[in-house]
Amino acid sequence: MSVLRTKTIEQSIAETDESEYQLKKRLTAVDLTIFGIGVIIGAGIFTLTGKAAHAYAGPAIVISFTLAAIACGLAALCYAEFASTVPVSGSAYTFSYATLGEIVAWIIGWDLLLEMMLGSSVVAQGWSAYFQVFLARFGITLPEALAGPPTGHGGMFDLPAFILVGVLTALIAYGIKESMRVNLVLVAIKLFIVFFVIIAGIGFINTANYSPFIPDPQPAGNVGGSIWTAPIVQGVFGFNPTTYGWGGIVAGASLVFFAYIGFDVVATTAEEAKNPQRDLPIGIIASLVICTVLYIAVALVITGMVQYDHISPKAALATAFESVGKPGYATLIAAGAVAGLCTVVMTLMIGATRVLFAMCRDWLLPKSWGTTNPQTGTPVKITLAVGVLCAFMAALSPWDLEQMVNIGTLAAFTLVSFAVPVLRKRRPDLKRSFKVPGNPVLPWLAGLASIYLMLNLSLETWLRFMIWMAIGFVIYFTYSRHNSRLAKHAHSAEYDDASAHEHHGGNPAVGGDF
């Protein structure tokens, strides 16, 4: 009953053919790239750019986006190798089950649920804020009690966020290809708005707003912070909590990291790709590169249009154009944000359902939850459960939880990065259609970069993360450890592992060179 027992690649792939757990292979490289762009471009541009520039880094938020992109790029290469080698739903959870053992797989799966379910709820609240800004342009105002979660400012229930999640849940349950069609339309609208902001905003840039490009460090209390909200690395090494300066840039990178979480969601759809060995690396890397360029361009424009300490932390793009006398532009941007943030919520929810699906198929959670509907080819039970949870979290959560999403994601990135050289050593016989260059150095750098960003998250975020992980360990040791497939079929699993190495000499389902 070892918690470090592993599941062979062959077992994982064979289970995808079980009729009650079978997903439809309908996604192309273009679908996957659009899927990634759909979730990456969203909260990062429409909300976090202003928040991070205002409170952490000033105009140097551009450097923060670059640092976050480098860390994500390193991790993306590791994801691309795993996803193309193990084209099975579950993303990092599935990869780690084959390399680092069941307990690590559970930890990553639990982290990914934190990332995607909480992420979709956070973004749904951001969508609600922009939706109400858009309605206000037409003189429509919601009752205060239904305009936001209970934060002490009159809100009691975020009705728009709740309705959004409900509608998207129904769409996701209906079918993955149908979800992708809606995603395609909304991504097109979102990209138009992003290019509009860049092109229209260039004419309103005042280069004086870039000075100082890196503001001098200030005590955290001077900008509304505290020891609880300061990066934990400052407390560990006895530094006074500060914002701006280099510390602010790195803390900003840890915050805007939330803007890049989409590419790993692409890996959760591996089992639904028509040609995963070729298409998954393209989808993961292309979506990350495209979005990084757009993020940096938008950050340069916004910090050039408005002095960093006057940037709105909630609706930076719309209010930037209002400040230069273009309220009509602000209305258009609010409409684009309403469309754009829909895709982020939808794709994060799809990712959460696919991770839960993989965990149920491994019997770490009740297996009956994960069966797919023969008509839609989707796990309807899980989709509805995720939708209900996300809807109520979006409607009732009073906290800013972007950093909670980030810490779960970074923990998963760290373990995936370290797992690449482990699988290379354990299974050199596997034919990998995409390989991380510079193994094992680059994967180790990817893991260390993720750890460094985690250390720049706040103390309160780490405490909440520890509580979440404690709940996960209780579930694992009281239920999952004794009911998993490997626990129930330990002898056959050992036989399959031995026979796979002896007779197959690798994975027959993968091959070729990327």
Side-chain angles (χ1 to χ4, degrees):
M1 293 285 289
S2 171
V3 298
L4 295 177
R5 57 195 169 205
T6 58
K7 182 178 178 183
T8 68
I9 306 297
E10 290 76 13
Q11 282 176 286
S12 295
I13 293 176
E15 288 165 6
T16 66
D17 293 326
E18 296 175 352
S19 59
E20 68 270 31
Y21 296 111
Q22 198 162 30
L23 298 169
K24 293 183 179 179
K25 298 182 181 297
R26 304 174 66 183
L27 303 181
T28 65
V30 174
D31 289 325
L32 294 169
T33 302
I34 293 172
F35 186 67
I37 294 173
V39 68
I40 296 174
I41 293 183
I45 282 184
F46 293 115
T47 58
L48 287 186
T49 301
K51 183 175 182 179
H54 174 83
Y56 290 94
I61 190 61
V62 173
I63 302 176
S64 299
F65 271 119
T66 304
L67 291 176
I70 291 171
C72 285
L74 293 172
L77 294 173
C78 298
Y79 267 84
E81 175 169 329
F82 264 124
S84 60
T85 307
V86 192
V88 178
S89 278
S91 183
Y93 159 78
T94 301
F95 310 155
S96 59
Y97 213 156
T99 53
L100 301 176
E102 186 175 274
I103 184 64
V104 179
W106 172 265
I107 292 170
I108 290 183
W110 197 242
D111 285 345
L112 290 175
L113 290 178
L114 174 69
E115 169 198 343
M116 295 173 189
M117 291 179 63
L118 202 56
S120 63
S121 304
V122 169
V123 178
Q125 290 181 341
W127 177 90
S128 176
Y130 265 102
F131 180 66
Q132 292 177 63
V133 169
F134 181 66
L135 291 180
R137 304 288 175 184
F138 302 96
I140 302 173
T141 304
L142 295 178
E144 191 174 29
L146 299 178
T151 58
H153 301 291
M156 295 298 295
F157 190 87
D158 196 330
L159 182 62
F162 185 85
I163 293 174
L164 172 69
V165 175
V167 171
L168 293 179
T169 298
L171 177 61
I172 295 166
Y174 184 69
I176 186 68
K177 193 64 177 181
E178 291 74 16
S179 300
M180 290 300 101
R181 288 184 185 131
V182 173
N183 191 54
L184 175 60
V185 174
L186 295 177
V187 168
I189 295 172
K190 181 162 53 176
L191 287 176
F192 168 77
I193 295 300
V194 170
F195 283 114
F196 174 81
V197 168
I198 295 169
I199 295 169
I202 287 175
F204 297 102
I205 289 177
N206 179 0
T207 54
N209 290 331
Y210 292 134
S211 181
F213 190 75
I214 303 178
D216 293 334
Q218 295 184 24
N222 290 354
V223 287
S226 70
I227 187 65
W228 293 100
T229 58
I232 192 172
V233 68
Q234 295 181 2
V236 169
F237 291 102
F239 303 145
N240 291 324
T242 63
T243 56
Y244 306 131
W246 177 250
I249 290 173
V250 179
S254 298
L255 177 62
V256 300
F257 183 86
F258 180 84
Y260 288 104
I261 62 176
F263 77 82
D264 65 316
V265 181
V266 175
T268 67
T269 62
E271 203 170 314
E272 293 156 279
K274 290 181 179 179
N275 185 2
Q277 289 76 28
R278 172 184 175 274
D279 295 345
L280 281 164
I282 293 174
I284 290 171
I285 296 171
S287 59
L288 181 62
V289 171
I290 292 169
C291 294
T292 298
V293 173
L294 294 177
Y295 275 161
I296 291 173
V298 169
L300 282 170
V301 168
I302 297 304
T303 54
M305 290 177 66
V306 184
Q307 187 71 25
Y308 70 89
D309 53 351
H310 292 113
I311 293 176
S312 168
K314 290 188 176 180
L317 274 63
T319 55
F321 281 96
E322 282 183 338
S323 69
V324 295
K326 294 293 182 181
Y329 290 5
T331 301
L332 179 63
I333 291 167
V338 167
L341 293 176
C342 282
T343 67
V344 183
V345 178
M346 181 173 69
T347 46
L348 285 173
M349 289 176 62
I350 291 173
T353 61
R354 295 328 186 242
V355 172
L356 267 176
F357 169 77
M359 296 174 80
C360 291
R361 188 165 60 188
D362 289 329
W363 305 354
L364 290 171
L365 293 171
K367 59 183 179 180
S368 61
W369 294 0
T371 54
T372 55
N373 184 287
Q375 280 75 44
T376 65
T378 59
V380 173
K381 295 177 186 176
I382 288 176
T383 301
L384 295 178
V386 168
V388 169
L389 286 172
C390 290
F392 278 102
M393 284 192 294
L396 296 171
S397 174
W399 304 296
D400 293 328
L401 296 175
E402 295 94 342
Q403 291 198 24
M404 275 292 285
V405 180
N406 290 355
I407 197 169
T409 309
L410 285 164
F413 282 9
T414 301
L415 293 173
V416 168
S417 300
F418 291 156
V420 167
V422 173
L423 187 60
R424 288 270 193 104
K425 186 173 182 180
R426 288 184 177 177
R427 293 298 305 275
D429 55 302
L430 288 176
K431 292 183 179 179
R432 293 163 170 84
S433 56
F434 178 88
K435 290 185 177 182
V436 179
N439 180 71
V441 175
L442 192 146
W444 280 100
L445 285 176
L448 292 174
S450 296
I451 291 172
Y452 182 62
L453 289 179
M454 289 176 71
L455 292 175
N456 280 276
L457 294 170
S458 66
L459 176 59
E460 66 178 359
T461 297
W462 275 88
L463 290 176
R464 290 171 179 168
F465 180 63
M466 292 298 107
I467 293 171
W468 174 257
M469 292 309 304
I471 295 171
F473 280 125
V474 169
I475 295 172
Y476 176 77
F477 284 105
T478 58
Y479 177 86
S480 306
R481 180 173 178 242
H482 308 289
N483 290 280
S484 71
R485 277 191 192 245
L486 293 188
K488 295 290 188 181
H489 304 296
H491 296 298
S492 61
E494 291 168 3
Y495 171 78
D496 289 344
D497 189 27
S499 62
H501 285 285
E502 181 179 352
H503 298 296
H504 298 300
N507 182 1
V510 296
D513 295 317
F514 178 71

